[in-house]
Amino acid sequence: MGREHWKKIWVGSAGNMVEWFDWFVYASFATYFAGAFFPEGNDTAKLMNTAGIFAVGFFMRPVGGWLLGRVGDRKGRKAALTLTVTLMSASAVLIAVAPTYGVAGYGGAAVLLIARLLQGLSVGGEYAASATYLTEASAPRHRGFASSFQYVSMTAGQILGLGLQILLQRTMSDDALHSWGWRIPFIVGALGAAVVFYLRRTMLETDVYEESADGTPAEGKGTLKALWAHKREAFLVVALTMGGTVAYYTYTTYLTKYLSNSAGLPKQTATLVSFCALIVFACLQPLAGRLSDRIGRRPLLITFALGSTFLTVPIMTMLKHAGSFWPALGLSLLALVVITGYTSINACVKAELFPTGVRALGVALPYAIANALFGGTAEYVALWFKDAGLESGFSWYVAGCAAVSLVVYLTMRETRDIDLGRVGEPAPVREPEPAKTPAASA
């Protein structure tokens, strides 16, 4: 791959890293700023209020998927990518400067709510915009490799957020973190978004989009009506996302809490396990993406689904009794290797299903719906099972979701060799050869 392709990968995925950094630090620093926006009283109630505002972000993701998917199809991938990072930058600034309850009463909580609405809109559109851009901007034989950097950047955002949290915890007092230190990661996120905004303002539109001639009329691009014409592919995105997003959130977002609350590891050890496992996980994505360019997408998806269906219960059971750092790390890595079959290529698989005129919306809306229903609720479902005294039930739930996706992977078509500029077009009709005349025969 040449320098130009690497530049497109960097610009297309860098914003994704900032988006997920901001998304992650809200959840991880909530324990520090929950008391700043609500009156003195029950600490659990404060966290629940903060978590409720966090959940609003997930409900806004389908709205963001529809809105920014429409922008991506009608105005171009560059326009959508620039808008997503603008929204995320604005949300980070709002949280960083939000007034506390002591200064503005519930006004601070209102600012926090607005910021989360903007975050939800932004993240809901960023996934599809970057997935579409990375897939279209790369050469056909490198699409799996290029699109794998989406999850590299997503994971890198979590790693940076986790690393910053560890750094602040070790260099600042607990009182300082609760007082004002929690604002630091949001300032960092806003600055990072500003840099990415500049990069995306100078990026080039993809050739596939500019040369699009897939038959979608201009007024129909990015519309729900146009998407409904590809409803089978839209439902396919929901189904193939279901198992992958539940597994991803289980072994990334929820893992630290599970190791701490259920396995009994110290919080510092649980955090370090997640940190190390995510670094290895990020490095695996391009390797698996390149493998899919050689052997196809379906073998990797099927391997993931088989592994998650049959290994989730044993892995989660053994993690609960890991007892120390190394066993916990080994089991976590095994789980992350399995889900790499999904995370490394799901972006390009979804983009390869839709024609250019509805590709961004086709990826964005079904994915955001599946993510809100299954990924965003994974931690809450896990805690519900735990509270009901049936914690192992969550492992079976994850395995069941993977089994549903397995059926989809086994029945879907291979997408590796699809021409992005001709998706959805009828096969060319071969003209019948003219009958040979006796003269021609002679």
Side-chain angles (χ1 to χ4, degrees):
M1 293 177 65
R3 179 183 297 179
E4 189 64 32
H5 279 101
W6 281 110
K7 181 180 178 181
K8 289 179 178 178
I9 290 175
W10 161 243
V11 175
S13 59
N16 212 27
M17 178 178 68
V18 175
E19 297 260 2
W20 285 92
F21 171 87
D22 287 343
W23 186 266
F24 177 81
V25 296
Y26 181 97
S28 60
F29 280 87
T31 55
Y32 293 105
F33 65 73
F37 297 104
F38 300 98
E40 291 297 324
N42 190 315
D43 289 340
T44 301
K46 295 177 186 177
L47 283 173
M48 288 180 67
N49 287 328
T50 310
I53 293 176
F54 176 77
V56 167
F58 273 102
F59 288 115
M60 289 302 295
R61 286 173 70 162
V63 179
W66 165 73
L67 178 63
L68 292 164
R70 181 180 174 88
V71 171
D73 286 327
R74 296 179 75 89
K75 303 297 183 182
R77 318 311 187 201
K78 175 182 174 180
L81 285 167
T82 304
L83 182 55
T84 60
V85 78
T86 302
L87 292 172
M88 185 57 79
S89 178
S91 69
V93 170
L94 284 175
I95 298 175
V97 302
T100 63
Y101 181 83
V103 173
Y106 283 107
V111 172
L112 195 64
L113 177 61
I114 294 171
R116 281 299 293 174
L117 291 173
L118 293 176
Q119 275 193 341
L121 286 172
S122 177
V123 173
E126 172 67 25
Y127 174 88
S130 60
T132 303
Y133 184 83
L134 288 170
T135 303
E136 289 183 348
S138 56
R141 65 183 184 277
H142 296 307
R143 288 202 300 250
F145 175 74
S147 66
S148 71
F149 281 87
Q150 183 170 49
Y151 267 81
V152 172
S153 58
M154 285 173 62
T155 308
Q158 293 186 58
I159 292 171
L160 289 173
L162 201 57
L164 181 58
Q165 184 177 26
I166 293 172
L167 177 65
L168 293 178
Q169 286 173 340
R170 298 195 176 193
T171 57
M172 298 181 68
S173 67
D174 196 59
D175 288 342
L177 275 172
H178 279 85
S179 176
W180 59 272
W182 59 266
R183 297 183 187 270
I184 293 175
F186 297 104
I187 295 173
V188 171
L191 292 174
V195 173
V196 174
F197 176 81
Y198 170 76
L199 291 173
R200 287 186 169 178
R201 289 281 293 175
T202 60
M203 71 192 295
L204 299 175
E205 187 57 82
T206 68
D207 293 337
V208 172
Y209 180 81
E210 290 188 330
E211 298 169 4
S212 172
D214 61 9
T216 306
E219 65 275 11
K221 288 185 176 181
T223 63
L224 294 175
K225 181 179 180 181
L227 179 60
W228 187 248
H230 302 277
K231 55 184 177 295
R232 181 182 180 278
E233 288 77 9
F235 286 117
L236 185 61
V237 169
V238 173
L240 69 86
T241 301
M242 178 181 177
T245 193
V246 170
Y248 177 76
Y249 276 94
T250 298
Y251 293 119
T252 55
T253 305
Y254 180 60
L255 180 65
T256 304
K257 297 181 180 68
Y258 183 75
L259 291 175
S260 177
N261 298 332
S262 298
L265 294 180
K267 287 184 179 180
Q268 295 86 344
T269 302
T271 302
L272 187 60
V273 168
S274 294
F275 184 77
C276 295
L278 286 174
I279 290 176
V280 177
F281 176 67
C283 295
L284 290 174
Q285 304 308 299
L287 301 177
R290 187 172 296 278
L291 180 63
S292 79
D293 288 326
R294 292 179 176 271
I295 68 173
R297 320 297 189 213
R298 288 180 68 246
L300 270 71
L301 291 172
I302 291 170
T303 300
F304 148 71
L306 285 170
S308 289
T309 300
F310 296 106
L311 294 179
T312 295
V313 174
I315 288 175
M316 294 293 281
T317 301
M318 288 188 286
L319 272 173
K320 190 172 183 179
H321 301 93
S324 61
F325 173 80
W326 288 109
L329 178 61
L331 290 166
S332 300
L333 287 176
L334 174 60
L336 291 173
V337 167
V338 169
I339 68 171
T340 292
Y342 165 82
T343 55
S344 60
I345 58 170
N346 79 93
C348 69
V349 170
K350 294 164 188 172
E352 288 166 343
L353 291 173
F354 296 95
T356 306
V358 75
R359 182 169 293 131
L361 180 62
V363 175
L365 186 56
Y367 169 80
I369 291 172
N371 217 266
L373 290 175
F374 301 106
T377 60
E379 184 173 333
Y380 297 97
V381 173
L383 294 174
W384 181 86
F385 274 111
K386 183 177 177 64
D387 187 59
L390 301 168
E391 189 168 31
S392 61
F394 177 67
S395 302
W396 289 102
Y397 168 75
V398 177
C401 291
V404 172
S405 290
L406 174 60
V407 175
V408 176
Y409 303 152
L410 289 171
T411 56
M412 67 182 288
R413 71 182 189 273
E414 177 58 61
T415 62
R416 178 188 60 174
D417 298 319
I418 284 176
D419 182 349
L420 292 180
R422 301 181 65 86
V423 178
E425 290 187 17
V429 178
R430 179 177 293 180
E431 295 291 336
E433 294 184 9
K436 293 184 178 181
T437 63
S441 300

CSV table of all heavy atoms in Angstrom, one decimal, residues 390-409:
chain,number,residue,atom,x,y,z
A,390,LEU,N,-28.3,-15.3,39.2
A,390,LEU,CA,-28.1,-16.2,38.1
A,390,LEU,C,-27.0,-15.7,37.2
A,390,LEU,O,-27.2,-15.6,35.9
A,390,LEU,CB,-29.4,-16.4,37.3
A,390,LEU,CG,-30.6,-16.9,38.1
A,390,LEU,CD1,-31.9,-16.6,37.3
A,390,LEU,CD2,-30.4,-18.3,38.4
A,391,GLU,N,-25.8,-15.4,37.7
A,391,GLU,CA,-24.8,-14.7,37.0
A,391,GLU,C,-24.4,-15.5,35.7
A,391,GLU,O,-24.1,-15.0,34.7
A,391,GLU,CB,-23.6,-14.5,37.9
A,391,GLU,CG,-22.5,-13.6,37.2
A,391,GLU,CD,-21.5,-13.1,38.1
A,391,GLU,OE1,-21.2,-13.8,39.1
A,391,GLU,OE2,-20.9,-12.0,37.9
A,392,SER,N,-24.4,-16.9,35.9
A,392,SER,CA,-23.9,-17.7,34.7
A,392,SER,C,-24.9,-17.6,33.5
A,392,SER,O,-24.6,-17.9,32.4
A,392,SER,CB,-23.8,-19.1,35.1
A,392,SER,OG,-25.1,-19.6,35.6
A,393,GLY,N,-26.1,-17.1,33.8
A,393,GLY,CA,-27.1,-16.9,32.8
A,393,GLY,C,-26.7,-15.9,31.7
A,393,GLY,O,-27.0,-16.1,30.5
A,394,PHE,N,-25.9,-14.9,32.1
A,394,PHE,CA,-25.4,-14.0,31.1
A,394,PHE,C,-24.4,-14.6,30.1
A,394,PHE,O,-24.5,-14.3,28.9
A,394,PHE,CB,-24.6,-12.8,31.9
A,394,PHE,CG,-24.0,-11.8,30.9
A,394,PHE,CD1,-24.9,-11.0,30.2
A,394,PHE,CD2,-22.7,-11.7,30.8
A,394,PHE,CE1,-24.3,-10.1,29.3
A,394,PHE,CE2,-22.1,-10.7,29.9
A,394,PHE,CZ,-22.9,-9.9,29.2
A,395,SER,N,-23.6,-15.6,30.6
A,395,SER,CA,-22.7,-16.3,29.6
A,395,SER,C,-23.5,-17.0,28.6
A,395,SER,O,-23.2,-17.0,27.4
A,395,SER,CB,-21.8,-17.2,30.4
A,395,SER,OG,-21.1,-16.6,31.4
A,396,TRP,N,-24.6,-17.6,29.0
A,396,TRP,CA,-25.5,-18.3,28.0
A,396,TRP,C,-26.2,-17.3,27.1
A,396,TRP,O,-26.4,-17.6,25.9
A,396,TRP,CB,-26.5,-19.2,28.8
A,396,TRP,CG,-25.9,-20.4,29.5
A,396,TRP,CD1,-25.6,-20.5,30.8
A,396,TRP,CD2,-25.5,-21.6,28.8
A,396,TRP,NE1,-25.0,-21.7,31.0
A,396,TRP,CE2,-25.0,-22.4,29.9
A,396,TRP,CE3,-25.6,-22.1,27.5
A,396,TRP,CZ2,-24.5,-23.7,29.6
A,396,TRP,CZ3,-25.1,-23.3,27.3
A,396,TRP,CH2,-24.5,-24.1,28.3
A,397,TYR,N,-26.5,-16.1,27.6
A,397,TYR,CA,-27.1,-15.1,26.8
A,397,TYR,C,-26.1,-14.7,25.7
A,397,TYR,O,-26.5,-14.6,24.5
A,397,TYR,CB,-27.5,-13.9,27.7
A,397,TYR,CG,-27.8,-12.6,26.9
A,397,TYR,CD1,-29.0,-12.5,26.3
A,397,TYR,CD2,-26.9,-11.6,26.9
A,397,TYR,CE1,-29.4,-11.3,25.6
A,397,TYR,CE2,-27.2,-10.4,26.2
A,397,TYR,CZ,-28.5,-10.3,25.6
A,397,TYR,OH,-28.8,-9.1,24.9
A,398,VAL,N,-24.8,-14.5,26.0
A,398,VAL,CA,-23.8,-14.1,25.0
A,398,VAL,C,-23.7,-15.2,24.0
A,398,VAL,O,-23.6,-14.9,22.8
A,398,VAL,CB,-22.5,-13.8,25.7
A,398,VAL,CG1,-21.4,-13.5,24.7
A,398,VAL,CG2,-22.6,-12.6,26.7
A,399,ALA,N,-23.6,-16.4,24.5
A,399,ALA,CA,-23.5,-17.6,23.6
A,399,ALA,C,-24.7,-17.7,22.7
A,399,ALA,O,-24.5,-18.0,21.5
A,399,ALA,CB,-23.3,-18.9,24.4
A,400,GLY,N,-25.9,-17.4,23.2
A,400,GLY,CA,-27.1,-17.5,22.4
A,400,GLY,C,-27.1,-16.5,21.3
A,400,GLY,O,-27.5,-16.7,20.1
A,401,CYS,N,-26.7,-15.2,21.6
A,401,CYS,CA,-26.6,-14.2,20.6
A,401,CYS,C,-25.6,-14.6,19.5
A,401,CYS,O,-25.9,-14.3,18.3
A,401,CYS,CB,-26.2,-12.9,21.2
A,401,CYS,SG,-27.4,-12.1,22.3
A,402,ALA,N,-24.5,-15.2,19.9
A,402,ALA,CA,-23.5,-15.6,18.9
A,402,ALA,C,-24.1,-16.7,18.0
A,402,ALA,O,-23.8,-16.8,16.8
A,402,ALA,CB,-22.2,-16.1,19.6
A,403,ALA,N,-24.9,-17.6,18.6
A,403,ALA,CA,-25.5,-18.7,17.8
A,403,ALA,C,-26.4,-18.1,16.7
A,403,ALA,O,-26.5,-18.7,15.6
A,403,ALA,CB,-26.2,-19.6,18.7
A,404,VAL,N,-27.2,-17.1,17.1
A,404,VAL,CA,-28.0,-16.5,16.1
A,404,VAL,C,-27.2,-15.9,14.9
A,404,VAL,O,-27.5,-16.1,13.7
A,404,VAL,CB,-28.9,-15.3,16.7
A,404,VAL,CG1,-29.7,-14.6,15.7
A,404,VAL,CG2,-29.8,-15.9,17.8
A,405,SER,N,-26.1,-15.2,15.2
A,405,SER,CA,-25.3,-14.7,14.2
A,405,SER,C,-24.6,-15.8,13.4
A,405,SER,O,-24.4,-15.6,12.2
A,405,SER,CB,-24.2,-13.8,14.8
A,405,SER,OG,-24.8,-12.6,15.3
A,406,LEU,N,-24.3,-16.9,14.0
A,406,LEU,CA,-23.7,-18.0,13.3
A,406,LEU,C,-24.6,-18.5,12.1
A,406,LEU,O,-24.1,-18.8,11.0
A,406,LEU,CB,-23.4,-19.2,14.3
A,406,LEU,CG,-22.9,-20.5,13.6
A,406,LEU,CD1,-21.6,-20.3,12.9
A,406,LEU,CD2,-22.8,-21.6,14.7
A,407,VAL,N,-25.9,-18.6,12.4
A,407,VAL,CA,-26.8,-19.0,11.4
A,407,VAL,C,-26.8,-18.0,10.2
A,407,VAL,O,-26.8,-18.4,9.0
A,407,VAL,CB,-28.3,-19.0,11.9
A,407,VAL,CG1,-29.3,-19.3,10.8
A,407,VAL,CG2,-28.4,-20.1,13.0
A,408,VAL,N,-26.6,-16.7,10.5
A,408,VAL,CA,-26.6,-15.7,9.5
A,408,VAL,C,-25.3,-15.8,8.6
A,408,VAL,O,-25.3,-15.8,7.4
A,408,VAL,CB,-26.6,-14.3,10.1
A,408,VAL,CG1,-26.4,-13.2,9.0
A,408,VAL,CG2,-27.9,-14.1,10.8
A,409,TYR,N,-24.2,-16.0,9.3
A,409,TYR,CA,-22.9,-16.2,8.6
A,409,TYR,C,-22.9,-17.4,7.7
A,409,TYR,O,-22.3,-17.4,6.6
A,409,TYR,CB,-21.7,-16.3,9.6
A,409,TYR,CG,-21.6,-15.1,10.6
A,409,TYR,CD1,-21.1,-15.3,11.9
A,409,TYR,CD2,-22.1,-13.9,10.3
A,409,TYR,CE1,-21.0,-14.3,12.8
A,409,TYR,CE2,-22.0,-12.8,11.2
A,409,TYR,CZ,-21.4,-13.0,12.5
A,409,TYR,OH,-21.3,-12.0,13.4
